[in-house]
Amino acid sequence: MQAFNDIGGLIIDMDGVLWHGDQPQAGLVEFFRRLRDLQLPFVLATNNASLTADQYVQKLANMQVSVGAHEILTSGLATASYLAERYEPETTRVFVIGGEGARRPLLDQGFMLAGLDDVDAHLVVSGLDKALSWEKLCAAALSIQAGAHFYGTNGDVTLPSEHGFLPGNGATLAALTAATGVSPTIIGKPEPIIYQQALTLLDVEPERVVAIGDRLDTDILGAVRAGIRSLLVLSGISSESDLAKVDYAPTWVMQDIQELTAALLK
């Protein structure tokens, strides 16, 4: 395993790395204090699009950690940015399954949001929606069947919580794909798009950046596809035994952010 050195910036996942649900991981405050002491830049890049950047700032503040909105990149933000580069926002109607974290970035980019009765939207975007309903699924399916382009903020089938693994946005995407026969374009990890946007925000040479995550199939595979080093923490979804089941690997494996905090001193 490579020596853990020449670290110029971090792209850090949140669910399963920094917390489970509303329960912070042990050593969370000390981890961020170490990053600030080392003046090590980071982007908190999450596939979870249910919250806005400001809501994540507040969530971390509730855990005694201070970050800025500019240090957060959700798959909702990444999706809105990606779409704004490919469609004219002012003339494009988007039907959204998802919370404020999926809706607000699209509005900020100037897109028009379609309602439940608007079944001929130009785009359908699906993110984690904790208020998912039959009516939302029907509106999305009808728009897709009518020709709307279909996007998923992320494809995570499960979401780690303090109660266990809950259904993620990937479960919603699977339902819509089954109903329409159309597969979505995924913006979040393991696609490299969100990592490429994070690298732009960091403005650090890619070879000096490390992506940190708890899922082999999203965080680590995404880093491999983006051509950057990665670190798997065993505090979330993937276990050490899972490494033998895939044909790619993280650069490093650590138990949790406490071990990572100690490694940053060396």
Side-chain angles (χ1 to χ4, degrees):
M1 187 172 291
Q2 293 184 18
F4 191 70
N5 56 23
D6 193 25
I7 312 299
L10 300 175
I11 302 174
I12 308 168
D13 185 47
M14 292 194 269
D15 294 299
V17 177
L18 304 181
W19 57 62
H20 282 180
D22 291 321
Q23 181 64 43
Q25 294 282 58
L28 181 68
V29 173
E30 293 77 9
F31 172 60
F32 279 95
R33 184 179 298 131
R34 183 66 45 79
L35 297 183
R36 298 303 189 192
D37 288 346
L38 294 172
Q39 298 184 357
L40 188 61
F42 60 84
V43 172
L44 304 180
T46 178
N47 264 2
N48 192 332
S50 62
L51 301 180
T52 66
D54 287 339
Q55 288 172 320
Y56 276 116
V57 168
Q58 185 57 54
K59 179 167 184 170
L60 281 157
N62 293 341
M63 298 178 181
Q64 312 307 311
V65 172
S66 177
V67 302
H70 66 284
E71 294 174 310
I72 293 175
L73 178 61
T74 70
S75 63
L77 286 164
T79 298
S81 178
Y82 179 88
L83 294 178
E85 294 174 355
R86 289 158 176 80
Y87 300 91
E88 185 61 46
E90 289 76 13
T91 59
T92 304
R93 297 190 317 283
V94 186
F95 182 78
V96 181
I97 289 179
E100 193 67 8
R103 298 170 63 85
R104 175 49 52 188
L106 289 165
L107 288 170
D108 289 344
Q109 290 283 0
F111 286 99
M112 300 180 292
L113 300 191
L116 284 172
D117 295 329
D118 189 354
V119 295
D120 59 350
H122 302 111
L123 308 176
V124 169
V125 171
S126 178
L128 181 66
D129 192 335
K130 295 182 179 179
L132 183 63
S133 66
W134 169 254
E135 289 77 15
K136 291 180 183 180
L137 288 171
C138 289
L142 289 171
S143 285
I144 294 168
Q145 290 167 10
H149 294 175
F150 182 22
Y151 292 90
T153 61
N154 67 291
D156 294 15
V157 177
T158 58
L159 176 72
S161 78
E162 63 270 44
H163 306 296
F165 298 134
L166 307 179
N169 185 48
T172 303
L173 297 179
L176 288 171
T177 297
T180 65
V182 179
S183 298
T185 297
I186 304 294
I187 305 301
K189 301 171 274 187
E191 302 307 317
I193 297 167
I194 192 169
Y195 277 136
Q196 291 162 350
Q197 293 185 15
L199 287 169
T200 298
L201 291 173
L202 277 175
D203 194 25
V204 174
E205 302 91 336
E207 58 269 19
R208 300 186 64 230
V209 173
V210 176
I212 300 167
D214 68 303
R215 296 184 68 130
L216 284 167
D217 61 342
T218 57
D219 305 313
I220 305 307
L221 181 55
V224 170
R225 290 177 174 175
I228 59 176
R229 297 177 294 172
S230 61
L231 188 158
L232 176 70
V233 291
L234 301 175
S235 55
I237 295 286
S238 296
S239 65
E240 198 159 16
S241 62
D242 291 329
L243 290 166
K245 304 173 185 176
V246 296
D247 59 0
Y248 55 91
T251 316
W252 301 281
V253 179
M254 296 186 185
Q255 288 298 316
D256 49 34
I257 54 173
Q258 288 182 302
E259 184 176 350
L260 172 55
T261 301
L264 288 170
L265 271 181
K266 299 177 181 177

